[in-house]
Amino acid sequence: MKRSKFLLLMGSVLMLASLPWGTNLAFGNAGPAGVTFYANSPSGGSSGTALRKFVDSLPGLTPAGANNLGQYIPVAVADTTTYLGSDYYQIGIMDYTKQVHTDLPKATKFRGYVDLGTGSPPAPHYLGPLIVAERDRPVRLKVTNQLGTGTAGNLPLPVDTTLNGAGSGPLGGSEYYTQNRTSIHNHGAFTPWISDGTPHQWFTPAGEGGNYLKGASFQNVPDMPPPGDGSQTLYYTNQQSGRLMFYHEHAVGITRLGVYAGLAAGYLIHDPVEDNLIATGVIPNQGGGVYNWGIPLIIQDKTFVPQDVTTVQDTKWNTAWGTYGDLYFPHIYEPNQSLTDPSGMNPYGRWDFGPWVQPNILAPVEVPAPTINAALPLPGTDVDHPENYLTSVTPESFMDVMMVNGTVYPYLNVEPKAYRFRILNACNDRFVNLQLYLDASGGGTGATATAIVNLTSGSISSIGLTNGGSGYVRAPGINITGGGGFGAMATASISGGAVSGITITNPGSGYTSDPTVTIGATTEVSMVQAAPNGFYPATWPKDGRDGGVPDPATAGPKFIQIGTEGGILPAVAVRDNQPINYDYDRGSATFGNVQNIEGVDPAIKGVTVFLGAAERADVIVDFSGVPSGTNVILYNDAPAPVPGFQPRYDYYTGNPDLTSTGGAPQTQVGVGPNTRTIMQFRVMATPPAPFIPGSSFNLATLETALPNAYVASQPPPIVPQTYYPPAYASAVDQHCRINDTALTYTGLGLAGTQTLQAEQKAIVELFEPYGRMNATLGYEVFDPTANPARSNGIGFAYIDPPVEIFQRGQIQLWKITHNGVDTHPVHIHLNNAQIINRVGWDGVIKPPEPYERGWKETIRMNPLESIFIAQKADLPVTPFAVPDSIRPLNPSKPLGDTSGFTNINPKTGQPITTTPTVNVMTNFGHEYVWHCHILGHEENDMMRPLKVTGIIPVGSLDLLFLLD
């Protein structure tokens, strides 16, 4: 590329590396009426009834698992006769309502899947129906879109028509793509591309009018009868090991909204190796039946429309989307910067705005000054007022209430035994770091105290014990809320089963009246200061973070992780309960990242069960060491975003009141909004049906059996390492260094060494044409002509011609260099990948963490690191021929259009001038994609095609390379 463009892009990367991605730590979030526009869930008063924690039970599987609200996850009923050798299901898509918490004023509007093959009237349930499949036994589906037509099919959420594929189509004019489109992606499935559910495989209901009824990649299964208008047939091979997957919405332009509205459901594959581990008691099975393969815990964050949404919190909210108790979704792009505030900053801002930040570093005088293109104005407004566009996409949407299996803050009764849980982070954008702690009750009741505030200093001067209570077996936790202040903390001491004293550990500040002191809340986790303490584990945070950290003395059972989304692990990963830790080495290139060197030194712990959006964890939790009658709380302290923590998205009991600048009020004891305390396990002597206790559990037996099961059920690693079972292991670890362009390694059963060239990929965080922040996938280009020589990431659009091209059976090594500041969970369709290692830009090699060894298809990629992954692009065996995907590069534009393409050669970084990209019919071979699974990122173009073929597809950039 021209040096001026290179400097522009490189300068933008350096500039953004110093800016907080989606963060303005100085200010609160939603603000005064008509000034800022971001609502929070009801929290009491005029906002509506606050949602109490742990008053509704966890929905189980089948009607027998219904909770007190009537919620359960149905299991789809297979038709085993229509297609011999296959399980056949008929699935519908429809709008419905469901009560998801006792305190919500009504049943909330959702859009979801329903089993049409039961012979009964469709009965939709949130997150259903779960499909249970067997390894190597195909599943066939007929999916019928039963949504309304015309405006009756509109989503109950704000749709941004500036997104490619959500606005006008190739015919132009006033006809837009409809909001009742759907494309089902079975996330993690090894499936032919015609059934993969990529963004352009959508279809509309029968009876829909207009010209846009099916996506450009839409296909049916060739050996199944044509399903008719408004339906599609799908074929899943299940030619893979046992694992939890999930099928969800993937239509271009509306993926994030469809998933948030409820279009997601589980898909579980089991295999003979796993079944044997269960049958022999190595893995607990909860008594068999529908829980034979564990209890699902599908975690999501939501925000519910508050009662005062249009009068106070978000006066731009359209009540056609939802009213009090329905789902809320951010829809106004509020810049961090201001053209009118003397400080230059908007006290209510959330995201940087391209036209108002420094776009480039100064270039040498001999280099022509780069051209800076002005941002496009959003519809209905001008470039200086992006907040006036009422349905904007936002970089992320971090919500304030936690749901599990479709119920807000549920509880689950368990016996003091081992349970297997299949955990899915199904949040749109939020990461979770899951831990288990005994509740703050201390096992007793009745203790009370009062606080006295020094009104001169605004801090707490004393706390007086008024009743010591009884029955305490450990020190109860203390919560201090109200009084207009924040930050006060205290600890209790006990004697003879009663509270005998209270010690103030932080007097807090800003108090204008005496706050409320709560001792021993069963809904809370005991918190202590994040400060040096010789009694705490060495890895306990000492960074003084607001709100403190859980008391390590209350740590609950450990998570025993046996699998990920790629199936079982090569070894058991026992996860100590660990609050999130960061890289605080100021000499480190990854300073501020979530700590991730446990693969180097197991004593340096950064997380417990750390899951980005769409990641899964297969875990066992042994409650046998927890006394009956004790509550254990599932706790999360992952920052939002990761790692650039933003206090306005961290909702916890006693958090600072941010209403003066539009944020949420202080969360009170026992209610939401709260994103820290997710659910409660109640350890009981006798569990209620259907949670039947399983057989006894022995960790040592599991640790012996799991490596053998891995070899029996999982493909061998591409690059052997020391931590694999002996049959798959190497004598030494085989890693890549920061400047490596290839990996030479010793493979399994191969004479000599093998060499894989590293395909250079990049993550780039910049701004899209309207000036909004967005991230893209692209390519890292090395420029030896620069002084000094340097590499540079160039972001590409989804519509750009394919570059990730595999021949069937080909192995590729990718080096993905992260040029931004967000951690991205990147999902690869079709392929499972092996993480070889990460490496910081300072050269520190970081092998995969113990819980992410083996196979992965959703992989966390961290700022200022490169990650090396190896993958093999096999194709499934099908009983029918699979055609190539042939479609326009950009289906939303007419053929011959030239707009929106990057026109840069990803191999050289030079502009493509001889043959600039034109929207033409293109052979995508077997068409898949890879993308970020932060859905706000994916939706605004953090996605690229992935093609598998035997030849170079027509229209590939590889052909253009020959000409430029």
Side-chain angles (χ1 to χ4, degrees), residues 16 200 205 617 702 732 794:
L16 280 173
H200 296 299
L702 175 66
V732 296
I794 303 171

Side-chain angles (χ1 to χ4, degrees), residues 66 84 268 283 295 548 550 583 622 645 663-664 771 780 834 906 943 946 957:
L84 294 180
L268 180 72
I283 295 176
I295 299 171
D583 180 355
D622 189 355
F645 170 73
E780 194 75 7
Q834 177 192 356
M943 176 154 37
L946 185 152
L957 279 181

